[in-house]
């Protein structure tokens, strides 16, 4: 069964355009999901909105959006007013610029989508744009209205299609300087740096997503299965706490280099046993 497109529109570069569709590239729908259940009856629990002051339930028609301008003071926005603020969409991914792949800091990456031609008539123009970008090693920056918001999208060639990644706005990305301000400036050199470089070289590899498993998801699946079968649940063993070791010794051990041998005390020669005395004849 073909996947369902999240969005359909047009990809345009100058006077060249083609019909395209966006498909979800990453989803959490396969994760184990829980429902809130009444322990006493086993029935599902439903959520209900209540007035924070009176405690009385609020009907759906009386629920509106409000923006807090002061403590307890809200500007009320009616549904039609919120809808009017949504920008008009012409369903066009308008490319504004090309830049080198990798030029954008990945901290700005939001969600990835697969971008594919929406119909047979769009395939040739789509392939032309994709191969032109692949040959030049560039990505395209485009803007459009996605899911009620104007979004900036980074488009890159990928296999027979393209990847369209929505980008976070500047105000959504927190400053790294705040997180890093208390890290002291250190210069690592000598044996410690050489050992670190050696360890990195020996562990060089290629990314294989199938080699990584979601241990929490696996543990939940096993827990659910055990409970459903009435098996006894055994708590996991507490992780062993590692002893604090010297950083240089840890690097040497990681690199497979024995610790420097301790200086041995010089061996002391044993005095020869005295010769047995001869008995007088």
């Amino acid at each position: 069964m073909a996947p369902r497109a999240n969005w359909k529109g047009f990809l345009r570069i100058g006077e060249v355009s083609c019909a395209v569709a966006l498909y979800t590239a990453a989803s959490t729908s396969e994760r184990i999901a829980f429902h809130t259940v009444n322990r006493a009856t086993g029935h599902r629990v439903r959520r209900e909105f209540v007035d924070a002051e009176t405690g009385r339930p609020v009907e759906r028609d009386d629920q509106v959006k409000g923006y807090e301008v002061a403590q307890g003071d809200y500007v009320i926005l009616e549904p039609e007013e919120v809808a009017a603020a949504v920008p008009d969409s012409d369903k066009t991914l308008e490319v504004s610029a090309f830049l080198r792949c990798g030029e954008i800091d990945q901290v700005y990456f939001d969600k990835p989508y697969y971008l594919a031609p929406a119909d047979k008539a769009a395939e040739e123009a789509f392939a032309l744009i994709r191969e032109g970008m692949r040959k030049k090693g560039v990505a395209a920056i485009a803007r459009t209205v996605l899911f009620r918001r104007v979004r900036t999208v980074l488009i890159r060639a990928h296999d027979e299609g393209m990847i369209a990644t929505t980008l976070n706005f500047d105000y959504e990305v927190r400053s790294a300087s705040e997180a890093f301000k208390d890290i002291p400036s250190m210069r690592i050199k000598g044996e410690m740096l050489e050992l670190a470089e050696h360890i990195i070289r020996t562990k060089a590899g290629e990314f294989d997503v199938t080699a990584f498993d979601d241990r929490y998801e696996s543990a939940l699946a096993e827990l659910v299965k055990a409970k459903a079968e009435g098996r006894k649940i055994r708590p996991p063993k507490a992780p062993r706490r590692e002893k604090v070791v010297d950083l240089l010794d840890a690097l040497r051990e990681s690199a497979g280099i024995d610790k420097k041998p301790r200086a041995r005390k010089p061996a002391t020669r044993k005095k020869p046993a005295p010769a047995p005395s001869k008995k007088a004849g």
Side-chain angles (χ1 to χ4, degrees), residues 7-8 86-92 144-149:
W7 178 92
K8 286 187 177 182
V86 176
D88 293 333
S89 173
D90 60 357
K91 293 287 187 178
T92 300
T144 193
V145 176
L146 289 176
F147 318 123
R148 300 168 64 89
R149 294 184 64 191

Side-chain angles (χ1 to χ4, degrees), residues 7-263:
W7 178 92
K8 286 187 177 182
F10 295 89
L11 175 63
R12 177 178 296 160
I13 303 174
E15 298 302 317
V16 179
S17 67
C18 61
V20 292
L22 284 178
Y23 300 90
T24 299
S27 173
T28 60
S29 62
E30 297 302 315
R31 291 180 182 174
I32 291 178
F34 294 110
H35 297 290
T36 303
V37 178
N38 184 338
R39 186 197 300 274
T41 64
H43 301 156
R44 284 186 60 178
V45 176
R46 63 180 176 85
R47 292 182 178 180
E48 188 175 49
F49 285 95
V50 298
D51 189 294
E53 296 296 327
T54 67
R56 295 174 181 172
V58 179
E59 298 298 328
R60 181 178 294 274
D61 290 343
D62 292 326
Q63 298 172 18
V64 294
K65 297 187 182 296
Y67 181 83
E68 191 171 24
V69 293
Q71 187 171 3
D73 185 14
Y74 297 88
V75 172
I76 302 299
L77 300 174
E78 297 296 335
E80 58 272 15
E81 293 173 326
V82 175
V86 176
D88 293 333
S89 173
D90 60 357
K91 293 287 187 178
T92 300
L93 273 166
E94 187 76 41
V95 174
S96 59
F98 293 99
L99 41 102
R100 305 298 300 178
C101 289
E103 189 172 324
I104 294 182
D105 192 326
Q106 292 189 21
V107 73
Y108 287 95
F109 286 16
D110 180 30
K111 290 184 179 180
Y113 294 89
Y114 294 126
L115 186 66
D119 52 43
K120 290 287 184 182
E123 291 177 354
E124 185 177 18
F126 181 90
L128 173 66
I129 296 170
R130 181 197 64 215
E131 291 309 304
M133 290 169 55
R134 196 196 306 275
K135 187 171 182 179
K136 297 296 292 184
V138 297
I141 290 288
R143 285 171 68 87
T144 193
V145 176
L146 289 176
F147 318 123
R148 300 168 64 89
R149 294 184 64 191
V150 176
R151 301 302 303 262
T152 303
V153 180
L154 180 71
I155 302 172
R156 296 164 290 168
H158 183 80
D159 293 338
E160 296 303 310
M162 298 190 222
I163 298 289
T165 304
T166 54
L167 301 179
N168 292 313
F169 290 103
D170 186 53
Y171 73 87
E172 294 176 312
V173 177
R174 295 181 176 179
S175 171
S177 60
E178 286 297 312
F180 301 155
K181 66 180 180 180
D182 293 329
I183 301 177
S185 179
M186 290 185 178
R187 296 295 178 186
I188 306 297
K189 56 184 178 180
E191 184 185 2
M192 292 182 71
L193 184 58
E194 291 171 1
L195 285 170
E197 292 173 345
H198 171 74
I199 294 168
I200 292 170
R201 285 195 301 271
T202 57
K203 289 189 174 293
E206 296 180 356
F207 178 70
D208 178 11
V209 70
T210 61
F212 304 98
D213 62 329
D214 188 340
R215 295 184 181 181
Y216 178 65
E217 191 75 5
S218 300
L220 282 181
E222 178 58 29
L223 176 62
V224 171
K225 182 179 179 183
K227 292 281 285 187
E229 295 175 354
R231 290 190 278 118
K232 186 177 180 180
I233 308 299
R234 294 182 180 179
K237 294 181 180 179
R240 186 181 64 180
R241 293 187 177 183
E242 299 291 339
K243 294 181 179 179
V244 178
V245 296
D246 180 80
L247 180 56
L248 185 56
D249 287 342
L251 283 168
R252 288 173 178 156
E253 187 175 342
S254 299
I257 301 173
D258 293 333
K259 298 178 182 178
K260 290 183 178 179
R262 297 178 180 177

